[in-house]
Amino acid sequence: MLSITKIFNRKQNRSEHEADSLGQPTVPLIVSRDQHNLSRSQVSPQALKVLYGLKDAGFEAYLVGGCVRDLLLGYEPKDFDVATNASPEEVHKLFKRSRLIGRRFKLVHVGFGREVIEVATFRAPPEAEQHIDQHGKIVQDNVFGTLEQDAWRRDFTINALYYNIRDFSIVDYTGGINDLQAGKIGLIGDVETRYREDPVRILRALRFVGKLGLTLERDTEKHIKGLAKLLQDIPPARLFDETLKLYLSGKAVETHQLLVEYGIFGHLFTDSARLLASEPESTAAKLLTRALENTDTRIKEGKPVTPAFLFAAILWGPTFARWQNYQDKKIPPLPALQKAANELISKQVQRVAFPKRLTLVARDIWLLQIRLTMRQGKRAFRLLTHPKFRAAYDFLLLRSDAGEPFEELSQWWTDFQFADESEQQKMVGELAPAPSKRKRRRRRGTTTKKSVVVSTNQAS
Ligand code: ATP
Ligand code: MG
């Protein structure tokens, strides 16, 4: 898998490098082009244009981060990041189709069609007191530096490898080549300090373990459980971004397992984590596993994945439990589910800020679970045209697969979708009749009233 076998004998010593990081400049390990297999043909043409554009203007230009790591490991990179000694303004001037972004990190996005290349100027480590808050977290990080300084402030050694467009060599200051060869993920520098500076590194560590199948270096692993609570201070919008990366990496099953194992899942999805821990064999737990398996399969097959579906699956356990609870208190099924869904969603988004466009879809998926059981008359036909029918139907299949008693219902809907109109009419005709109109009208009135009461309660 690893394409840098030729330099196996050039071992580096992590502690030597740590010592160096505190003071004098280090001599990096330079892996020349003939000693590694990262080839320009694997690099996106857009990234190459940026690299050459910078080089031709007299600047240093390197590919860095996940793309170098993934290419050396034999994976296709998700995106290409570039590091340079040109200032963001200089980069912006150089590329017509580019824009300056970011406040904490000032970056340039060079956009060519759908692909955006992120260009960052080398950064110096945050030293001045005003750049770090009282918990050790970096709050300002815009001091430009050298390539070497840039390397030391990155998170993991395997993410601090630079591919130099001048001679196609790989530059390694922090021992990343060594760690890649050993299959290790290690934070650069003092582990506790680095987690405190940015607790999201905990999520990143587990994501890379899940995604790349590497193992955590001892210290990098040791501090995770103790420092996980620092994730509470991370803004919910950032946690949303990171959560998506965790679950859409193509290794959601493994990654989720790790999140649970290291006690991180509870910091992201408190209610779900509590329920899954107390009832690991529940249908909700099985449903989540199935949903994650499906997500991974879809990603492998290049099919789109909707994060709303994932959200619906992760939160189904506590939503379902609360729904049952309200029904036990004699609230009718629909308002009971609406109330449960609204409450769970508003609590959850305070932690991980799933945007409304996604939570509304998740809510639809849940509420349609009730409509899927009501098929008489024109209802089944109407439901088929609902924009979220397909997602709700898939969710019903998952519930059935996970052991909820919906085998017959799922089969009915599967058949119904593929039947022609006369067969569909027949299928609906064979169902037990719907409650009489008079009765139904009266019930509807009751339901509406109650749901009004429910939403009034919530607003208060
Ligand atoms: P992938 O793109 O596959 O998710 P990546 O490592 O490229 O993984 P990015 O978020 O694209 O992740 O970040 C690019 C690079 O920026 C990283 O490889 C790392 O060098 C650096 N980096 C990202 N996040 C941090 C962080 N929280 N602390 C320090 N360095 C970071
Ligand atoms: Mg990246």
Side-chain angles (χ1 to χ4, degrees):
M1 184 166 68
L2 201 57
S3 49
I4 40 177
T5 42
K6 287 178 189 164
I7 47 159
F8 239 112
N9 48 355
R10 298 196 53 184
K11 290 242 167 180
Q12 281 178 295
N13 184 323
R14 177 194 296 276
S15 54
E16 251 174 44
H17 276 269
E18 271 165 25
D20 291 340
S21 75
L22 302 172
Q24 320 77 344
T26 337
V27 181
L29 170 70
I30 308 277
V31 184
S32 61
R33 177 60 191 96
D34 59 338
Q35 290 179 304
H36 69 76
N37 289 350
L38 197 165
S39 128
R40 264 166 300 163
S41 65
Q42 297 166 296
V43 178
S44 93
Q46 285 87 337
L48 286 175
K49 271 190 212 163
V50 173
L51 290 166
Y52 281 119
L54 287 165
K55 173 180 163 273
D56 295 344
F59 296 110
E60 290 177 51
Y62 299 83
L63 280 181
V64 64
C67 58
V68 178
R69 174 199 72 213
D70 290 351
L71 287 173
L72 289 175
L73 285 170
Y75 296 114
E76 200 185 318
K78 201 173 76 205
D79 44 38
F80 289 88
D81 295 323
V82 169
T84 180
N85 61 347
S87 71
E89 288 74 19
E90 285 169 325
V91 177
H92 182 47
K93 256 192 222 142
L94 213 50
F95 299 100
K96 248 195 249 146
R97 298 177 59 189
S98 69
R99 59 198 182 102
L100 280 161
I101 60 147
R103 214 183 292 159
R104 201 185 116 189
F105 296 107
K106 219 172 184 192
L107 300 165
V108 184
H109 275 177
V110 186
F112 294 86
R114 287 170 132 223
E115 194 181 353
V116 170
I117 308 296
E118 195 165 284
V119 185
T121 306
F122 298 147
R123 271 195 201 92
E127 276 168 7
E129 257 172 40
Q130 68 266 33
H131 292 167
I132 296 182
D133 74 7
Q134 78 265 31
H135 303 296
K137 198 164 104 198
I138 300 181
V139 283
Q140 229 260 53
D141 195 8
N142 248 337
V143 185
F144 300 131
T146 61
L147 169 65
E148 175 174 4
Q149 287 175 317
D150 191 79
W152 289 109
R153 56 158 289 285
R154 286 179 183 271
D155 49 4
F156 304 97
T157 64
I158 60 169
N159 285 347
L161 297 170
Y162 296 77
Y163 173 79
N164 189 348
I165 198 62
R166 248 170 231 287
D167 58 5
F168 318 122
S169 65
I170 288 168
V171 184
D172 175 15
Y173 278 97
T174 66
I177 290 287
N178 203 22
D179 280 353
L180 264 192
Q181 287 174 329
K184 289 259 177 261
I185 298 176
L187 270 170
I188 296 169
D190 177 67
V191 171
E192 190 172 343
T193 310
R194 300 308 309 282
Y195 278 144
R196 280 187 185 280
E197 276 176 4
D198 183 4
V200 163
R201 288 173 185 149
I202 294 173
L203 301 180
R204 291 174 59 82
L206 296 182
R207 175 154 68 87
F208 297 133
V209 173
K211 177 171 146 174
L212 306 171
L214 309 182
T215 51
L216 290 172
E217 178 267 332
R218 207 190 55 185
D219 267 5
T220 301
E221 175 178 30
K222 198 177 77 185
H223 289 280
I224 290 185
K225 285 187 180 162
L227 296 176
K229 58 180 180 300
L230 295 175
L231 286 168
Q232 278 160 9
D233 299 332
I234 302 297
R238 186 158 181 227
L239 285 186
F240 167 69
D241 290 343
E242 294 301 324
T243 300
L244 279 198
K245 288 187 201 164
L246 285 161
Y247 284 96
L248 301 181
S249 67
K251 295 277 184 181
V253 173
E254 289 84 347
T255 308
H256 174 73
Q257 190 58 41
L258 288 161
L259 292 174
V260 172
E261 202 177 306
Y262 285 91
I264 305 298
F265 185 59
H267 287 283
L268 301 173
F269 298 95
T270 316
D271 293 294
S272 309
R274 200 174 298 137
L275 191 114
L276 297 184
S278 63
E279 297 171 35
E281 294 304 318
S282 61
T283 50
K286 286 188 188 132
L287 177 138
L288 177 54
T289 309
R290 295 271 152 80
L292 298 180
E293 284 165 359
N294 290 355
T295 302
D296 288 345
T297 310
R298 289 184 70 87
I299 289 175
K300 234 161 262 142
E301 292 169 351
K303 292 184 186 161
V305 173
T306 151
F309 193 85
L310 213 59
F311 182 85
I314 295 176
L315 275 196
W316 178 241
T319 307
F320 185 83
R322 200 171 287 209
W323 178 29
Q324 297 306 305
N325 205 300
Y326 287 139
Q327 289 189 85
D328 291 346
K329 292 182 181 155
K330 304 287 179 256
I331 302 181
L334 185 61
L337 183 53
Q338 281 168 335
K339 187 168 157 65
N342 293 348
E343 288 171 1
L344 257 300
I345 289 172
S346 31
K347 187 165 170 218
Q348 180 58 52
V349 295
Q350 288 171 32
R351 191 85 280 273
V352 181
F354 278 82
K356 197 146 194 174
R357 71 189 154 79
L358 297 180
T359 60
L360 283 177
V361 175
R363 195 173 173 278
D364 269 351
I365 291 173
W366 293 336
L367 295 177
L368 287 175
Q369 297 306 302
I370 295 180
R371 283 183 61 187
L372 283 163
T373 64
M374 298 156 62
R375 296 160 287 167
Q376 296 88 350
K378 297 219 158 48
R379 290 167 173 175
F381 293 96
R382 273 204 300 266
L383 195 47
L384 267 193
T385 64
H386 191 288
K388 295 298 161 231
F389 166 78
R390 182 71 208 194
Y393 160 76
D394 284 342
F395 202 76
L396 180 73
L397 294 188
L398 271 190
R399 292 176 69 194
S400 169
D401 267 4
E404 287 195 60
F406 293 124
E407 212 171 312
E408 232 173 84
L409 186 67
S410 315
Q411 191 57 52
W412 192 93
W413 277 108
T414 308
D415 297 341
F416 189 72
Q417 288 173 76
F418 299 106
D420 62 32
E421 207 185 322
S422 68
E423 280 170 330
Q424 287 179 328
Q425 295 287 5
K426 194 163 159 263
M427 287 176 75
V428 170
E430 285 165 359
L431 294 168
S436 82
K437 270 197 174 166
R438 251 188 96 221
K439 240 176 156 182
R440 211 177 60 217
R441 214 175 279 138
R442 207 182 310 131
R443 269 230 227 111
R444 264 196 192 160
T446 325
T447 305
T448 321
K449 253 191 201 157
K450 281 212 174 158
S451 62
V452 171
V453 172
V454 166
S455 45
T456 317
N457 280 349
Q458 269 169 354
S460 59

